[in-house]
Amino acid sequence: MQPKEPAREGRLPEDTDAQSIELNESAVDLQDVLSGDFDASQGDESPVAYKRVLPPQQDMPKLHKVLAQAGVGSRLDMERLILEGRVSVNNEPAHVGQRIKFGDTVRVNGKPIRVTIAPPPMRVLAYHKPVGEVVTHDDPQNRPTVFRKLPRLHQGKWQSVGRLDLNTEGLLLFSNSGQLANQLMHPRFGLEREYAVRVLGTVTDESKQRLTSGIELEDGPAQFLTLSEGGGEGANTWYKVTIAEGRNREVRRLFEAVGHAVSRLIRIRYGSVVLPRGLRRGTWVELSPRDVGQLAAAVGLDANPEPVRRPGSKGPGRAPGRPTGRSPNASQRRGPAGGASARSGGGQPDPMRTSLGYIGADTIAQQRKAQQQAKKRFKR
């Protein structure tokens, strides 16, 4: 039985026995923002403290174990060879207890050894970015970055799926797979971004027509796929918009082009991954393996590639993240709660829609059940 992954600040432990729930009941929508529930859920209540359990590092096995599995000798014999300095990793002397990762070159007595190491599994985080954080690993102005709150990876690094500017909040996805991140951003798949936008004043019907038919910006034409009014108070009005691109400050620039300044901008959906209701600013939740598999398949990738023998294997293993040849199903049409409209000239396929609901439903169900169980334990 595998031990559960450690709980970190901003994350709830997984419960693989959780029952699925409808995602539409757990996704942030414009009505949550208008009613005040969105901001009310971001209270100062401290997260429940969970017991930290160290998981096995399956993607970084110990060197002597890998050599024994490769048939070089017993584990004790391998430890002795390592102590004698007869084993090297990437042309550097090995040490007892050393862990190796996918892509490392192992030699015994100068001879390359064929070892089988599984590439690290694809992981995806859904992060609720607050205003004031920048999406960069190294900021010259020393401003807080989104990466400082993410869990540490033993190999590789987190890559953001797109960006949100300093004054924009909401859903931001991260993956340890650069190929998955690039595919999710690629214009070929046309994954929609949905935002709740508060602007000064009310957009006229003529301006709405311009925003949805196309406006020439300094870096080319741009348009909203959908634009619906959500109401508001005083001089401010809320709108829900969808866009199929990720150009710099595109939503803000479109509204500015028709004379309206954006005073608040919240991304509530990326493709079919939604901002979970109750996920606090500055915290994250990791998508379940089932959700990650659906997400990868939607852009033609395999979330569980076969192990690859290193080096010079004659086996049939394939490289990690290699496209599987599957393409998004163009017959599937988007229809999330809150209404969905199509591009002019026909409906837009939603490659991330599945027969089981929108991607993320399994993760949110597990999160909610784990949260309820944690509260019960805390009260005891």
Side-chain angles (χ1 to χ4, degrees):
M1 181 176 178
Q2 298 282 351
K4 293 184 179 180
E5 194 167 339
R8 299 175 62 97
E9 180 182 357
R11 178 174 185 250
L12 292 172
E14 294 184 1
D15 184 346
T16 54
D17 296 328
Q19 298 295 322
S20 291
I21 60 175
E22 289 296 328
L23 182 61
N24 295 338
E25 298 176 358
S26 302
V28 172
D29 194 70
L30 181 59
Q31 293 304 317
D32 296 310
V33 179
L34 294 174
S35 65
D37 291 341
F38 176 74
D39 290 318
S41 66
Q42 307 295 319
D44 296 329
E45 180 185 352
S46 299
V48 179
Y50 301 104
K51 183 178 179 181
R52 186 166 181 248
V53 179
L54 294 176
Q57 299 180 30
Q58 297 177 347
D59 54 336
M60 293 187 65
K62 289 190 175 181
L63 174 59
H64 70 281
K65 180 179 178 181
V66 174
L67 289 175
Q69 291 175 343
V72 181
S74 68
R75 296 189 186 185
L76 289 177
D77 289 339
M78 296 304 99
E79 289 184 352
R80 179 176 54 81
L81 290 178
I82 293 172
L83 286 172
E84 294 173 355
R86 296 162 61 185
V87 181
S88 66
V89 177
N90 299 328
N91 297 321
E92 295 289 337
H95 59 82
V96 175
Q98 180 173 349
R99 293 183 180 273
I100 59 175
K101 61 183 181 297
F102 177 78
D104 285 345
T105 301
V106 180
R107 297 175 183 270
V108 175
N109 296 325
K111 180 181 178 181
I113 302 298
R114 296 180 179 180
V115 296
T116 302
I117 305 176
M122 281 186 183
R123 298 174 62 187
V124 177
L125 304 181
Y127 178 69
H128 188 167
K129 177 194 174 297
V131 171
E133 290 185 349
V134 292
V135 187
T136 179
H137 283 278
D138 185 19
D139 181 56
Q141 301 179 39
N142 202 29
R143 294 172 294 184
T145 76
V146 295
F147 294 96
R148 64 177 181 165
K149 295 180 180 178
L150 302 184
R152 185 173 64 90
L153 290 173
H154 294 291
Q155 63 179 105
K157 64 179 181 179
W158 292 112
Q159 300 195 38
S160 63
V161 180
R163 293 174 179 266
L164 293 177
D165 64 44
L166 181 70
N167 296 316
T168 301
E169 61 182 296
L171 177 66
L172 185 62
L173 299 180
F174 294 91
S175 177
N176 65 336
S177 168
Q179 187 173 16
L180 177 60
N182 290 333
Q183 292 283 81
L184 291 173
M185 293 184 286
H186 200 286
R188 176 164 63 96
F189 295 98
L191 301 184
E192 296 180 357
R193 291 83 160 161
E194 185 172 73
Y195 295 85
V197 192
R198 187 180 68 190
V199 302
L200 184 62
T202 303
V203 180
T204 64
D205 291 340
E206 180 183 354
S207 295
K208 289 180 181 178
Q209 178 62 31
R210 290 183 60 198
L211 289 169
T212 54
S213 60
I215 292 178
E216 189 69 30
L217 301 178
E218 58 268 23
D219 55 352
Q223 68 182 98
F224 290 134
L225 302 179
T226 65
L227 189 155
S228 59
E229 186 172 342
E233 295 181 357
N236 294 312
T237 308
W238 282 94
Y239 294 90
K240 182 163 67 173
V241 302
T242 58
I243 197 166
E245 296 178 298
R247 283 189 272 170
N248 184 37
R249 302 183 71 252
E250 189 170 3
V251 173
R252 296 180 185 274
R253 290 189 292 143
L254 278 169
F255 276 106
E256 289 170 359
V258 294
H260 293 274
V262 174
S263 58
R264 191 173 181 189
L265 184 59
I266 308 169
R267 182 154 74 187
I268 57 178
R269 180 169 64 89
Y270 191 103
S272 292
V273 181
V274 297
L275 179 63
R277 182 179 287 125
L279 184 64
R280 298 186 181 187
R281 298 185 187 97
T283 61
W284 52 271
V285 62
E286 182 167 359
L287 298 191
S288 67
R290 173 183 170 187
D291 288 333
V292 174
Q294 293 175 352
L295 189 62
V299 291
L301 298 178
D302 186 357
N304 299 294
E306 298 173 1
V308 180
R309 292 184 64 87
R310 295 276 179 170
S313 171
K314 299 180 180 179
R318 59 179 186 272
R322 182 178 179 181
T324 60
R326 290 174 290 183
S327 60
N329 186 355
S331 65
Q332 295 171 330
R333 305 292 177 184
R334 185 176 59 85
S341 58
R343 291 181 188 266
S344 57
Q348 182 189 12
D350 183 4
M352 300 174 75
R353 178 77 190 213
T354 71
S355 60
L356 300 175
Y358 278 78
I359 294 174
D362 184 56
T363 298
I364 296 173
Q366 294 179 15
Q367 179 197 31
R368 286 194 173 278
K369 184 171 182 179
Q371 187 177 34
Q372 293 171 357
Q373 292 176 344
K375 286 182 177 180
K376 291 179 181 178
R377 290 195 298 268
F378 185 74
K379 289 179 180 180
R380 293 175 185 172

